[in-house]
Amino acid sequence: MIHGGPYTQYSGNLFDEAQVLAGAGYAVVMGNPRGGSGYGATHGRAVKEAIGTVDVADLTALLDHALTLPGLDPSRVGVQGGSYGGLMTTWLVAHSDRFTAAISERAVNAWDSFAGTSDIGWFFADEYAGDHQHEQSPLTWADQIRTPTLVIHSERDLRCPLEQGQRLFARLRRNGVPTKLLVFPGEGHELSRAGQPRHRVQRFEHILAWWAEHLRR
């Protein structure tokens, strides 16, 4: 499970996302790779114009270590995340075949259209991807994806607009990759934290159904 931001962090606080998955019997791996907050400016700035490098290295190292623990099955590993975490989810399945299935939620998948449509402003893409927006867009590498992927987005997401999810879904469908697109009407970027209660429950139901389909024996 990969956090958003990227300049934020997971903490030891109660987190409903992890609790729902753990309650359903899954081991949940969460960490704070370079690019996030909590470890100083150098740590946080490490992914500037370097998305898909040190952050991938840290996430991979974290997962590799977790899979040494007793009872975990490296042949049944899912990856999911939202916003920047959705970006990294799409990136990872485009550059690796180690994941059984994926859930990419409210993701940034293409910096070119993000820069012109997101409410965060044009500067954000320049700040993080700089002159490397094409190479550091997961959609650039989407034709390499073979992992079954659930794409989740909200109709009124102004931070990572709906087209970011639609473009990924359309590419995966065209390429014959098992995929579904789940769009929540009337919701925005904060669906998982501040959406309508019924939509938050429905979101968890779809997530659990996807993992049950792909990770359960």
Side-chain angles (χ1 to χ4, degrees), residues 58-94:
D58 289 354
L59 290 167
T60 301
L62 172 65
L63 179 59
D64 288 342
H65 174 72
L67 290 173
T68 66
L69 300 175
L72 300 191
D73 184 352
S75 70
R76 291 184 295 151
V77 180
V79 58
Q80 75 176 79
S83 199
Y84 168 78
L87 180 159
M88 289 309 304
T89 295
T90 311
W91 183 278
L92 286 168
V93 295

Side-chain angles (χ1 to χ4, degrees), residues 67-205:
L67 290 173
T68 66
L69 300 175
L72 300 191
D73 184 352
S75 70
R76 291 184 295 151
V77 180
V79 58
Q80 75 176 79
S83 199
Y84 168 78
L87 180 159
M88 289 309 304
T89 295
T90 311
W91 183 278
L92 286 168
V93 295
H95 292 83
S96 170
D97 60 0
R98 72 181 299 173
F99 297 102
T100 309
I103 301 176
S104 179
E105 184 171 12
R106 61 184 185 279
V108 180
N109 288 311
W111 288 111
D112 57 353
S113 55
F114 174 88
T117 57
S118 172
D119 68 350
I120 204 169
W122 57 266
F123 71 92
F124 194 85
D126 290 341
E127 186 77 12
Y128 273 100
D131 294 331
H132 309 287
Q133 294 184 23
H134 179 72
E135 308 96 283
Q136 294 183 9
S137 293
L139 199 67
T140 299
W141 312 101
D143 287 343
Q144 300 175 176
I145 296 175
R146 298 293 180 267
T147 304
T149 301
L150 171 62
V151 180
I152 303 178
H153 228 97
S154 292
E155 179 187 35
R156 297 182 181 176
D157 191 334
L158 301 180
R159 181 57 42 87
C160 298
L162 176 58
E163 57 90 19
Q164 293 284 318
Q166 290 172 320
R167 292 178 71 184
L168 174 62
F169 172 72
R171 182 75 64 84
L172 296 179
R173 281 297 298 268
R174 188 189 71 185
N175 291 341
V177 178
T179 183
K180 292 180 180 179
L181 175 63
L182 175 63
V183 179
F184 284 92
E187 297 289 2
H189 197 64
E190 298 297 314
L191 162 66
S192 64
R193 298 174 285 270
Q196 295 182 48
R198 65 189 179 95
H199 284 161
R200 295 180 67 186
V201 170
Q202 289 169 351
R203 173 180 170 273
F204 277 133
E205 289 173 346

Side-chain angles (χ1 to χ4, degrees), residues 1-3 6 8-10 30-37 39 43-44 46-47 54-60 62 84 88:
M1 180 178 287
I2 307 171
H3 68 60
T8 183
Q9 60 183 301
Y10 284 136
M30 301 160 59
N32 295 307
R34 278 172 283 184
S37 59
Y39 297 92
H43 182 94
V47 297
V54 294
D55 43 4
V56 169
D58 289 354
L59 290 167
T60 301
L62 172 65
Y84 168 78
M88 289 309 304

